[in-house]
């Protein structure tokens, strides 16, 4: 089968890698997108007119209009966990399989959360910026992680991993997640309001959906302690950015760190990132070789299974897959 790898050259280098590309070429004929920008709907239809499978990065959308216009397309394989910008309903109506990757970035994102906590507590970025600018940084009293309270919103894979690290560091861990049962007696499972008021660090790791849109807004931020720090490593949709900017400007909270935002590329908003008590990184939480290779290698395995006419692990609409290859096509 023929596969379109929709990543731009830069995204291919940063988020796919040579080893996975060679693996993909071993199971299918691969067509590469060589443009500098992510393909829009028209560009995707033009580029994928002769392929059976699209392997797409997180910037490449799957709008509903493309599926009936690509009669040869059998599957849309996402090299990411987030498939919110893929119209799964339209894909299902056209009989196209949609798959997603599993989270291979658990350790990577949790480690960045830890780095954010240290940086916010000890003024690492602030002091470094002063030194780089030729200024003498002010020596300010910091906060140690040991003995502090960490509040985690969303107790999924990353939340659990981060909680284990925090316990080793001597932190008290509070979790807010109405959809899980926590058996660890050391971890306190509390409602969101109580977790906000009692935490020194609030780390947002909840899933982005309609229910969590603007979960952290003015009211939530007002419940936090003035010395507390807010960290978002989930999605920008969970935060009311205007409310966060106001809380930082008015010193309602001590500071914040963001690796995500509401932009199409999921990066923090530049205007928000300019605030002196905010640390921002350009959506690099999962940008480590181990994390990237986990997901790209998974797409290779998914493509290999799809070419056999089977639904792979990660398929989200297998019951509607009517463009499944027949046995005689794969023999």
């Amino acid at each position: 089968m023929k596969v379109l790898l929709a990543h731009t050259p830069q995204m291919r280098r940063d988020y796919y890698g040579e080893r996975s590309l060679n693996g993909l070429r071993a199971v299918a004929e691969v067509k590469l997108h060589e443009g500098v920008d992510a393909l829009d709907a028209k560009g995707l239809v033009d580029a994928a007119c002769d392929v059976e499978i699209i392997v797409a990065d997180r910037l490449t959308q799957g709008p509903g209009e493309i599926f009936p216009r690509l009669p040869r397309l059998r599957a849309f394989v996402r090299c990411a966990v987030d498939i919110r910008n893929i119209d799964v309903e339209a894909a299902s109506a056209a009989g196209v399989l949609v798959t997603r990757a599993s989270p291979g970035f658990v350790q990577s994102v949790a480690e960045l959360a830890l780095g954010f906590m240290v940086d916010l507590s000890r003024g690492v970025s602030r002091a470094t910026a002063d030194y780089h600018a030729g200024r003498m940084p002010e020596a300010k009293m910091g906060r140690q992680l040991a003995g502090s309270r960490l509040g985690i919103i969303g107790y999924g894979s990353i939340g659990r991993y981060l909680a284990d690290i925090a316990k080793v560091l001597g932190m008290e861990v509070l979790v807010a997640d109405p959809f899980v049962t926590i058996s660890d007696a050391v971890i306190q499972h509390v409602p969101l309001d109580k977790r906000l008021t009692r935490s020194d660090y609030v780390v947002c790791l909840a899933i982005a959906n309609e229910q969590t849109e603007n979960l952290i807004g003015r009211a939530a931020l007002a419940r936090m302690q003035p010395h507390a720090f807010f960290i978002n490593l989930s999605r920008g949709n969970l935060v009311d950015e205007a409310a966060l900017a106001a809380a930082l400007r008015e010193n309602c909270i001590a500071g914040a760190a963001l690796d995500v935002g509401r932009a199409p590329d999921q990066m923090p908003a530049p205007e928000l990132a300019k605030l002196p008590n905010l640390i921002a990184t350009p959506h690099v939480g999962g940008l480590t070789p181990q994390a990237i290779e986990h997901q790209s290698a998974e797409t290779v395995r998914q493509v290999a299974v799809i070419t056999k006419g089977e639904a792979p692990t990660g398929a989200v609409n297998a019951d509607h897959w009517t463009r499944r290859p027949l046995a005689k096509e794969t023999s």
Side-chain angles (χ1 to χ4, degrees):
M1 286 190 183
K2 192 170 185 179
V3 174
L4 170 67
L5 185 61
H7 297 57
T8 64
Q10 180 177 351
M11 290 294 286
R12 200 161 62 234
R13 182 186 66 246
D14 293 343
Y15 290 94
Y16 208 78
E18 278 299 315
R19 183 149 63 172
S20 292
L21 178 55
N22 290 335
L24 191 61
R25 283 174 167 153
V27 299
E29 179 185 351
V30 179
K31 180 179 182 179
L32 299 177
H33 168 46
E34 298 293 359
V36 296
D37 297 320
L39 291 165
D40 58 13
K42 182 181 182 303
L44 194 56
V45 168
D46 291 342
C49 63
D50 59 342
V51 308
E52 286 79 30
I53 301 172
I54 295 172
V55 175
D57 64 311
R58 57 184 168 80
L59 297 183
T60 303
Q61 300 185 30
E65 64 190 90
I66 72 169
F67 298 108
R69 296 171 61 189
L70 292 170
R72 291 174 58 92
L73 187 66
R74 299 183 185 275
F76 194 104
V77 175
R78 170 51 54 85
C79 187
V81 175
D82 193 349
I83 58 170
R84 288 176 299 158
N85 63 1
I86 300 174
D87 191 333
V88 178
E89 184 176 351
S92 297
V96 177
L97 182 71
V98 175
T99 73
R100 71 198 318 166
S102 60
F105 44 72
V106 172
Q107 292 89 343
S108 179
V109 174
E111 288 173 8
L112 183 57
L114 182 63
F116 278 158
M117 287 192 285
V118 172
D119 197 339
L120 288 166
S121 304
R122 309 305 292 272
V124 178
S125 293
R126 172 183 51 78
T128 299
D130 283 343
Y131 275 124
H132 286 174
R135 301 185 296 266
M136 177 57 65
E138 179 184 358
K140 293 185 177 181
M141 183 68 68
R143 169 182 289 276
Q144 70 178 29
L145 300 186
S148 296
R149 284 177 173 168
L150 168 63
I152 300 174
I153 303 174
Y155 198 59
S157 300
I158 301 172
R160 291 192 296 272
Y161 190 84
L162 180 60
D164 287 341
I165 295 174
K167 288 190 298 180
V168 172
L169 293 173
M171 300 185 77
E172 185 179 345
V173 181
L174 289 69
V175 169
D177 191 327
F179 303 105
V180 299
T181 300
I182 300 176
S183 57
D184 190 335
V186 177
I187 296 176
Q188 301 178 49
H189 197 184
V190 298
L192 178 60
D193 289 354
K194 289 186 178 180
R195 197 206 53 72
L196 290 169
T197 58
R198 295 171 57 191
S199 298
D200 302 308
Y201 305 88
V202 173
V203 180
C204 189
L205 296 169
I207 295 172
N209 54 33
E210 293 181 2
Q211 289 70 41
T212 57
E213 184 77 19
N214 288 326
L215 178 68
I216 304 300
R218 183 174 295 276
L221 291 163
R223 294 187 182 97
M224 292 178 60
Q225 301 180 73
H227 71 265
F229 298 105
F230 173 73
I231 297 169
N232 188 15
L233 286 158
S234 176
R235 287 291 184 266
N237 306 67
L238 282 81
V239 178
D240 181 336
E241 293 187 345
L244 177 59
L248 291 169
R249 290 192 181 101
E250 297 164 10
N251 295 314
C252 296
I253 60 175
L258 306 176
D259 187 48
V260 291
R262 289 180 175 270
D265 57 9
Q266 300 177 14
M267 294 186 185
E271 289 305 314
L272 189 59
K274 289 179 182 178
L275 294 175
N277 50 352
L278 186 141
I279 299 167
T281 50
H283 196 53
V284 298
L287 193 55
T288 62
Q290 299 92 328
I292 294 309
E293 188 164 283
H294 171 96
Q295 293 192 324
S296 60
E298 189 166 4
T299 66
V300 174
R301 293 190 293 271
Q302 289 177 341
V303 168
V305 173
I306 290 168
T307 61
K308 298 175 182 177
E310 302 170 7
T313 301
V316 300
N317 63 340
D319 291 344
H320 299 278
W321 189 24
T322 58
R323 293 191 191 175
R324 183 191 301 258
L326 301 175
K328 65 180 180 180
E329 295 180 83
T330 61
S331 61

